[in-house]
Amino acid sequence: MIPKFLKKRIFKAPVVSGNTPATEPSDTPQIDGSPIVPTPYTNAPINQLYRKISGQMLDVAVKPKLLGELPEFDQDDQTLRFYVLQDYSRSNSILIDLQTQEHKLPPALVGVNDSAHNIKENAAIIFLHHPHAKENQLSPRLSRLVSAVLQYPELKVRLVPVSILWGRAPEKEDSLFKLLTADNWQDPSITKQLFNIGVMGRDTFIQFHPPQDLRTLINDSLKDDDDEPTDLNSAIFESATLDTNASDATDSATENTISVAPNYTVVAAADGNRELVRSLQQQLNIYLDKQRASMLGPDLSDRRNLVDKLVYSPAIKHAIEAEAAETGTSPREARLLAKSYANEMVNDYSHAIIRGFYKFLTWLWTQLYDGVEVHHFERVRELAADYELVYVPCHRSHVDYLLLSYVIYKRGLSIPYVAAGDNLDVPVLGPILRGAVAFYIRRSFRGNALYTAVLREYMHTLITRNTPIEYFIEGGRSRSGRLLPPKMGMLAMTVHSQLRQSNKPVVFIPTYIGYERIMEGGTYIGELKGKPKESESLLGLLKVGRKIERIFGNVHLSFGTPLHLTDFMAKFDVPENSLPADRTDTPLDDKASAMVDNIGVKVMQHINKAAVVTPVSLLSLVLLSAPKSALDEDICREQIALYQGLAQQLPYSSDTVVTDMSPQQIIDYGIKLKLIERIPHILGDIIQIAGKQAALLSYFRNNILHVFILLSFLAALVARNGRIERSRLDNIAMQLYPFLQSELFLYYPAHGLADTLNKKVDSLIAHGLIVELGDGMLSVPEANSRCYQQLQVLATPVEQSLERYFMTLALLAQQGSGNLTENEVVDLCHLLGQRLSVLYADDIPDFFDRALFTSFLGALTRLDYLQKDVETGILTFDQRINDIAHHAKYVLRPEMMQILHQVASLNEEEIAHAITEISNKKQRKFGRKR
């Protein structure tokens, strides 16, 4: 804090005219009462030669990797720019200079001369910890610049904080070699710096942070009387859009081994100046420390010590006592059990494995994919320094574990600790993944209080130490391409930890992962059709390795809008630190539990909002909606262009990314990936899905189905009725929307749905797919016109969902209230869906995915159409079930409704037989697992 009386002295400091000699003692700045002795500015040839030779030697030995975005400067501006480093270092300053030259930024080791403001500095680098400033004293150059800015209101100075890492190993050192070579939280000595250059020169990282206006920083430090200095990262560095214009760099000058710059700036030496500079320097140090932490991660304890700390923590001691009392075992036996649980799950971080993985994956991605496209990552970087990051991606493939960590590490942030199922803890592969920050958890541990306590305490330890965390909120990989319902266990543990003790605020990062081909595609299709799930093994890994030569197209990672836990706590009125810090078994109250459920749904919705509409997913959506999965090539191009136009002109979300390939390029790309094929024909070429690829393409269609589902629903209502009143269309859509929302995690709120529907109808009218007749009446275009054909194709994707709904409702109505449990309904609908798909559809297995029927029944229960007995699980309902089914006739064709009625008509003997067979199959499956 700067006291008020010192603030007054700052602004009363005399302004010295440009005619005053720069060497007058009264005008020489002082640091804590000691004058800074100016050294003559020199541009001697020996210094130029020293700098040139040093730069050439460093350029050969060190190949730094640039992280983040480069600062942008307007070359016409006369603003002065200075790079801010924490610690004095010859190699760092030369490295900065080389990087500024390479990226055409204002040079670092060139004098900064501004005669109008009496500024003449021999380099554009500010060291916060300068060797010529005594202990606990201030940076001379920063002091001079602050005084100059206070004296000259028109002077503009921009500070560019810079982070340099020689290697990226967190603090976990257990050998002399590591101490000499791996950079960590300790500042490098000259000896260590020489080792770094020689050994870690190829593993060096540099990041230029957003430029900041020095006058703004000064004003923010002076404007309030807070006891604590302003948090630069949260209060100042949020202004990333500050004007960062700059002028052409001045002529090159040399740095005399980065010694103290001579003082040609005439400044006033006042106590207020010193306190102001001290405040600014502290803020800059805090900011750079936070940035360094976001890149390196927290200091690490070795695995053995971490396990011991867990077992002997107050929370686990209490859990051990409870376990011993409940089971009748001794506390020692319970402690050994808790320790075995901890050893089972705790990771064993190895920077050597991380670096090895990074090099291996860099090679692997070039073999597998045409490219790894990353969207919206900067929003993550902006939060990394001040928040506990919890990445919550969708789960498409085992590749997800490696891909997300690789992208985060490559872009300069600390790699997250990944919660992995213990099914991956197999020989060879398991220890490697554990060294690459995976921690293993059991697939199911319901009823095991001690295991739950150890896992909660481990999660709490990671969160309070500000370790980034990643877990797949769906719990398992999606076999259909749709998002699975969220599993709330890990989410609840995260909230539980934050309510026990908060350090940094938690922010969830919803992350969309989209592939254009997937390694497990054939396996997924088999599992959906009923084949047992294959267990992970080294042999399975080797089988996957055989696919490396295949073409997998591009892979996309899109980081959605962050979700702040504090916002949800305010919404649900959940107070901070409301749980005991030394207990893991305190249950969440009703408000906190409701909050967890809401966070889970919002995470899924934000993942879908960040979807990437890829060329393959567009092709899949178009061709799977066409009769026989084939279209004339001209019509196919037009349909693709229509979907692109709809998605771009009325975006599903501002986070949604749509491919910018042309329709012809998209078709050619699908042929290259061998997913579709062109059939030459004298009347025009035909594009059709390649043999046995339809089921696989349904997976990629489902990735983006939510983007177009409401458009498809509205198109179907008009197409199946020929004419329909707009008010009736809105009414039917609002009645059935909750079920589509539950299945596809649509984010449109029900209270604003009417406006959303109107916008989408207007968009379809603008594209000519719907004709507005007046008086609120909507109609299809002229029969057999091109727009009519496009409307029919667009109306198809929603049909599968509505067919599932109608079949489920028909089964319930036919069997009657109080006769079936929820599990029996799901199992029977799965069997009926299988039969329907084989007999009447294209045998695409996602139609009868159990998760979809579970989701539909869950929505019916949540909306009180179904009531579930807590003890027996029996479902009861009333006439309203038929009311919902009544709306299906406005969307489904009469012949399809008849087929669904027939398929769902089962007598008691058939149901009993089906339920028995399903039960026997499940017992055989679980028997194999045991």
Side-chain angles (χ1 to χ4, degrees):
M1 182 188 78
I2 305 171
K4 288 184 177 179
F5 76 93
L6 286 182
K7 291 184 180 181
K8 294 178 182 178
R9 295 177 64 183
I10 291 171
F11 293 110
K12 290 181 178 180
V15 178
V16 183
S17 68
N19 297 325
T20 306
T23 57
E24 284 187 22
S26 61
D27 298 325
T28 302
Q30 297 182 0
I31 303 177
D32 289 349
S34 302
I36 299 173
V37 180
T39 59
Y41 185 87
T42 180
N43 196 25
I46 187 63
N47 294 323
Q48 295 184 21
L49 180 62
Y50 170 83
R51 176 190 166 199
K52 183 176 181 179
I53 294 175
S54 300
Q56 289 175 348
M57 293 175 63
L58 198 67
D59 193 36
V60 171
V62 179
K63 300 296 179 185
K65 301 176 182 65
L66 184 68
L67 303 175
E69 303 295 328
L70 286 170
E72 296 182 3
F73 297 113
D74 186 341
Q75 296 299 318
D76 294 330
D77 192 13
Q78 297 302 311
T79 302
L80 305 181
R81 301 163 213 89
F82 290 84
Y83 301 96
V84 181
L85 294 173
Q86 280 188 297
D87 298 291
Y88 173 85
S89 165
R90 292 177 175 85
S91 56
N92 280 352
S93 57
I94 294 173
L95 181 60
I96 288 286
D97 189 55
L98 292 173
Q99 287 294 294
T100 55
Q101 293 179 51
E102 178 180 343
H103 298 293
K104 300 185 177 359
L105 297 174
L109 294 186
V110 169
V112 179
N113 303 294
D114 184 355
S115 58
H117 302 106
N118 295 317
I119 290 178
K120 192 173 184 181
E121 302 288 347
N122 64 352
I125 300 179
I126 296 173
F127 295 111
L128 298 179
H129 305 147
H130 197 284
H132 290 271
K134 297 179 181 179
E135 186 177 359
N136 297 324
Q137 293 182 348
L138 308 178
S139 165
R141 186 163 288 151
L142 180 61
S143 300
R144 294 193 292 272
L145 291 174
V146 168
S147 296
V149 168
L150 290 173
Q151 292 177 56
Y152 300 103
E154 74 282 2
L155 177 59
K156 295 181 179 180
V157 178
R158 293 284 192 269
L159 304 183
V160 182
V162 183
S163 297
I164 299 177
L165 300 179
W166 298 83
R168 289 173 63 183
E171 182 68 35
K172 184 185 178 184
E173 312 300 342
D174 53 12
S175 72
L176 177 62
F177 180 76
K178 288 183 179 180
L179 287 171
L180 288 174
T181 58
D183 225 12
N184 48 52
W185 279 100
Q186 298 177 0
D187 302 323
S189 63
I190 293 177
T191 303
K192 186 172 181 181
Q193 193 75 351
L194 291 174
F195 267 94
N196 285 341
I197 293 172
V199 179
M200 306 299 292
R202 305 290 168 144
D203 194 31
T204 301
F205 302 83
I206 183 169
Q207 181 174 358
F208 295 88
H209 302 292
Q212 300 301 315
D213 179 54
L214 179 56
R215 188 174 303 278
T216 301
L217 303 183
I218 292 172
N219 291 339
D220 286 348
S221 290
L222 295 172
K223 68 183 178 182
D224 22 63
D225 296 327
D226 294 339
D227 289 337
E228 297 295 332
T230 305
D231 183 350
L232 187 64
N233 190 64
S234 61
I236 298 172
F237 276 72
E238 287 177 359
S239 304
T241 58
L242 277 173
D243 179 17
T244 56
N245 300 335
S247 62
D248 288 323
T250 56
D251 293 336
S252 179
T254 59
E255 166 81 346
N256 184 17
T257 67
I258 320 302
S259 62
V260 176
N263 176 32
Y264 288 92
T265 304
V266 184
V267 295
D271 291 339
N273 291 54
R274 290 200 306 273
E275 293 302 321
L276 175 60
V277 174
R278 193 185 308 279
S279 174
L280 293 175
Q281 188 164 317
Q282 182 180 0
Q283 293 172 42
L284 287 165
N285 267 312
I286 291 172
Y287 175 76
L288 286 170
D289 279 344
K290 287 181 177 180
Q291 297 302 320
R292 189 175 179 88
S294 71
M295 292 185 275
L296 288 179
D299 294 351
L300 297 179
S301 300
D302 65 73
R303 188 169 185 269
R304 183 183 60 188
N305 287 338
L306 182 56
V307 169
D308 288 341
K309 288 178 182 177
L310 279 176
V311 173
Y312 288 97
S313 67
I316 299 304
K317 283 183 178 179
H318 180 273
I320 288 172
E321 292 172 0
E323 176 77 9
E326 182 177 348
T327 61
T329 59
S330 67
R332 181 178 180 277
E333 291 174 325
R335 184 177 299 107
L336 289 174
L337 182 60
K339 190 170 185 177
S340 71
Y341 289 155
N343 278 310
E344 187 180 313
M345 66 180 68
V346 170
N347 73 295
D348 189 16
Y349 183 97
S350 169
H351 187 61
I353 291 180
I354 296 294
R355 290 184 64 192
F357 255 123
Y358 178 75
K359 293 178 180 179
F360 168 71
L361 293 177
T362 300
W363 168 82
L364 181 63
W365 303 147
T366 61
Q367 302 299 310
L368 287 178
Y369 303 114
D370 293 334
V372 177
E373 304 291 335
V374 181
H375 311 276
H376 313 308
F377 185 78
E378 284 309 310
R379 60 178 39 154
V380 181
R381 191 188 304 281
E382 292 170 2
L383 296 169
D386 283 314
Y387 291 87
E388 165 64 20
L389 299 183
V390 179
Y391 298 91
V392 276
C394 60
H395 202 5
R396 312 287 197 203
S397 165
H398 279 319
V399 177
D400 299 343
Y401 296 97
L402 305 176
L403 186 65
L404 182 54
S405 295
Y406 174 84
V407 166
I408 293 169
Y409 185 82
K410 184 177 181 180
R411 279 156 180 76
L413 294 186
S414 176
I415 191 170
Y417 284 27
V418 185
D422 62 352
N423 58 312
L424 290 178
D425 192 11
V426 296
V428 181
L429 177 62
I432 293 175
L433 292 179
R434 192 186 293 273
V437 295
F439 63 94
Y440 294 111
I441 59 176
R442 296 180 179 181
R443 308 290 287 182
S444 177
F445 46 89
R446 185 184 299 274
N448 190 335
L450 185 58
Y451 184 92
T452 302
V454 173
L455 179 55
R456 282 183 174 176
E457 187 64 16
Y458 181 52
M459 284 283 291
H460 184 61
T461 301
L462 295 179
I463 290 172
T464 53
R465 295 174 67 249
N466 305 323
T467 306
I469 296 174
E470 172 192 336
Y471 47 77
F472 296 97
I473 194 169
E474 297 167 277
R477 292 167 293 158
S478 170
R479 268 63 174 176
S480 68
R482 294 176 174 85
L483 293 181
L484 300 175
K487 306 293 185 183
M488 302 302 182
M490 295 297 289
L491 200 60
M493 289 186 188
T494 305
V495 171
H496 196 278
S497 171
Q498 189 75 353
L499 296 183
R500 285 174 60 190
Q501 176 186 350
S502 60
N503 190 357
K504 288 184 177 181
V506 168
V507 61
F508 299 99
I509 310 294
T511 307
Y512 176 91
I513 304 176
Y515 299 90
E516 294 178 340
R517 293 203 68 165
I518 196 164
M519 288 186 180
E520 301 99 327
T523 303
Y524 288 175
I525 294 169
E527 290 178 14
L528 283 173
K529 289 185 175 181
K531 291 183 179 179
K533 179 181 178 296
E534 296 181 7
S535 300
E536 277 71 25
S537 64
L538 181 60
L539 181 61
L541 180 66
L542 296 176
K543 288 180 179 179
V544 171
R546 294 167 53 190
K547 302 180 180 180
I548 286 180
E549 297 301 325
R550 300 186 187 179
I551 303 172
F552 286 88
N554 288 291
V555 59
H556 298 264
L557 274 81
S558 182
F559 294 87
T561 302
L563 296 170
H564 295 263
L565 179 56
T566 51
D567 292 341
F568 288 93
M569 291 169 65
K571 176 182 176 182
F572 286 86
D573 192 24
V574 176
E576 295 181 359
N577 303 321
S578 54
L579 297 180
D582 58 349
R583 295 284 292 273
T584 63
D585 57 349
T586 308
L588 298 175
D589 60 21
D590 292 342
K591 288 182 179 180
S593 297
M595 180 181 71
V596 170
D597 292 340
N598 187 247
I599 294 173
V601 172
K602 291 299 182 184
V603 165
M604 308 310 286
Q605 291 176 353
H606 278 64
I607 290 174
N608 267 348
K609 288 171 71 175
V612 180
V613 181
T614 67
V616 169
S617 59
L618 264 182
L619 275 174
S620 304
L621 186 64
V622 168
L623 290 176
L624 288 173
S625 301
K628 304 295 184 182
S629 299
L631 284 173
D632 175 88
E633 185 164 358
D634 289 340
I635 296 175
C636 185
R637 279 197 300 267
E638 291 175 0
Q639 198 74 23
I640 292 172
L642 170 67
Y643 283 20
Q644 281 182 297
L646 290 169
Q648 291 168 348
Q649 294 165 23
L650 189 62
Y652 179 75
S653 165
S654 59
D655 287 347
T656 306
V657 179
V658 182
T659 177
D660 58 0
M661 280 189 181
S662 69
Q664 187 60 57
Q665 288 173 327
I666 290 174
I667 291 173
D668 294 340
Y669 188 64
I671 294 173
K672 171 190 170 184
L673 295 180
K674 300 180 181 179
L675 296 171
I676 63 173
E677 55 191 10
R678 179 182 286 113
I679 307 298
H681 194 276
I682 193 170
L683 297 179
D685 292 351
I686 297 172
I687 301 299
Q688 70 175 19
I689 294 176
K692 298 183 179 180
Q693 295 296 322
L696 180 61
L697 287 185
S698 70
Y699 184 96
F700 303 112
R701 173 201 62 191
N702 293 340
N703 289 172
I704 63 163
L705 189 58
H706 63 281
V707 176
F708 297 95
I709 196 68
L710 279 187
L711 290 167
S712 178
F713 187 26
L714 296 171
L717 283 170
V718 177
R720 302 298 175 254
N721 294 278
R723 291 187 179 186
I724 188 171
E725 293 179 353
R726 196 160 184 163
S727 59
R728 177 171 289 277
L729 180 144
D730 289 345
N731 182 55
I732 296 172
M734 289 182 180
Q735 288 290 327
L736 296 180
Y737 173 73
F739 308 112
L740 292 172
Q741 182 183 37
S742 177
E743 176 184 335
L744 297 172
F745 295 100
L746 305 179
Y747 77 94
Y748 306 115
H751 59 78
L753 185 60
D755 184 54
T756 300
L757 294 175
N758 286 332
K759 289 180 180 178
K760 293 189 179 297
V761 170
D762 291 342
S763 180
L764 294 174
I765 293 172
H767 282 84
L769 301 186
I770 295 178
V771 177
E772 195 167 24
L773 300 178
D775 296 327
M777 185 65 70
L778 303 175
S779 172
V780 297
E782 184 178 347
N784 299 321
S785 65
R786 187 60 56 88
C787 288
Y788 181 84
Q789 294 174 354
Q790 290 180 331
L791 179 68
Q792 297 296 325
V793 174
L794 179 60
T796 302
V798 77
E799 288 182 351
Q800 270 198 9
S801 295
L802 298 177
E803 287 168 5
R804 275 192 303 273
Y805 302 162
F806 186 80
M807 184 177 69
T808 306
L809 295 171
L811 176 66
L812 287 170
Q814 192 259 342
Q815 296 302 317
S817 176
N819 291 318
L820 295 175
T821 67
E822 180 179 359
N823 289 335
E824 290 171 346
V825 173
V826 170
D827 289 338
L828 289 171
C829 286
H830 173 71
L831 289 178
L832 295 175
Q834 279 183 325
R835 187 173 183 83
L836 180 68
S837 180
V838 173
L839 292 176
Y840 302 104
D842 297 321
D843 195 20
I844 295 179
D846 76 282
F847 176 81
F848 45 84
D849 184 4
R850 277 188 171 86
L852 301 177
F853 295 109
T854 301
S855 171
F856 179 55
L857 292 176
L860 287 171
T861 303
R862 188 173 62 256
L863 296 171
D864 201 36
Y865 288 104
L866 290 179
Q867 294 79 42
K868 179 180 176 181
D869 186 271
V870 177
E871 295 182 359
T872 64
I874 295 291
L875 298 177
T876 57
F877 49 88
D878 54 29
Q879 182 60 32
R880 291 177 299 158
I881 286 289
N882 294 327
D883 296 337
I884 303 174
H886 175 74
H887 293 300
K889 72 177 185 180
Y890 291 101
V891 185
L892 300 179
R893 296 181 179 89
E895 60 271 21
M896 178 52 68
M897 293 183 65
Q898 182 63 30
I899 290 171
L900 292 171
H901 265 300
Q902 291 176 354
V903 169
S905 298
L906 300 174
N907 58 40
E908 292 182 4
E909 183 179 346
E910 290 171 326
I911 288 180
H913 175 70
I915 291 175
T916 300
E917 288 298 314
I918 292 171
S919 177
N920 292 338
K921 185 176 181 180
K922 287 180 178 179
Q923 289 179 0
R924 290 194 297 270
K925 177 180 177 181
F926 294 137
R928 284 194 300 270
K929 284 187 176 182
R930 288 193 293 268

